[in-house]
Amino acid sequence: MPDLGQFHREIVFLHVIGVFLFLLAHGVSAGVMFWLRREREPAVLRSLLGLSYKAVLAMAVGALLLFVTGILAGFSGDSWTDGRLWLWVSLAVFVAVFLLMTPLARMPLDRIRKALDEPTSEPPTLGSAVEPGASASLEAAITATRPMLVAGLGVGAVIVLTWLMMYKPF
């Protein structure tokens, strides 16, 4: 592998940009989850879900950028070769939270999309009406969301990751 040490500042800069993009997009989705808890109008629900869906692209770009540059920063700063455990713990925390967010955040939003008779793999549209029997499943899907848990997990992970990166405790 080429010597990345000379590019360490640039790599860390891009890593921080990736973090900001990732957090910004997640803020949109978190806001949607909180708003959904008090909304029952199908057209508004579809708009909120569409907003969250569109934020996923920015989140994916940010996640990829922060992940790749985080690994590269480990090489450019000799953290991988020095066997620093903080870097491995950071990677484990990132992957664990990423895996937890699917059942805690994405799947509940997909249940709301399904109750609205919206596709879960495409952005929602404003066109279709909610069938009369769907209101009970919609209500159940909305109340099944846990925005405080999701936000708490996300904020906690950001705090732990920031602490690990700044203090490099082990």
Side-chain angles (χ1 to χ4, degrees), residues 13-129:
F13 174 77
L14 290 173
H15 182 69
V16 172
I17 296 299
V19 170
F20 282 139
L21 183 58
F22 182 78
L23 293 177
L24 179 66
H26 263 68
V28 171
S29 290
V32 165
M33 283 193 82
F34 280 102
W35 194 276
L36 285 173
R37 298 283 289 181
R38 50 182 187 254
E39 184 60 58
R40 297 301 181 268
E41 176 60 40
V44 175
L45 290 168
R46 285 186 179 94
S47 293
L48 289 168
L49 291 169
L51 179 63
S52 177
Y53 183 87
K54 289 176 183 169
V56 169
L57 178 61
M59 183 276 307
V61 170
L64 182 63
L65 183 60
L66 78 88
F67 186 75
V68 170
T69 57
I71 290 171
L72 289 174
F75 285 112
S76 67
D78 291 327
S79 294
W80 291 115
T81 55
D82 287 351
R84 303 214 179 120
L85 187 59
W86 72 268
L87 190 57
W88 288 102
V89 173
S90 297
L91 190 57
V93 168
F94 180 79
V95 170
V97 171
F98 186 82
L99 293 174
L100 283 171
M101 287 297 178
T102 296
L104 293 175
R106 194 187 115 235
M107 290 169 74
L109 293 181
D110 281 350
R111 282 194 286 278
I112 296 171
R113 286 183 181 99
K114 185 176 179 187
L116 288 167
D117 200 28
E118 292 288 335
T120 57
S121 61
E122 298 175 16
T125 61
L126 294 173
S128 58

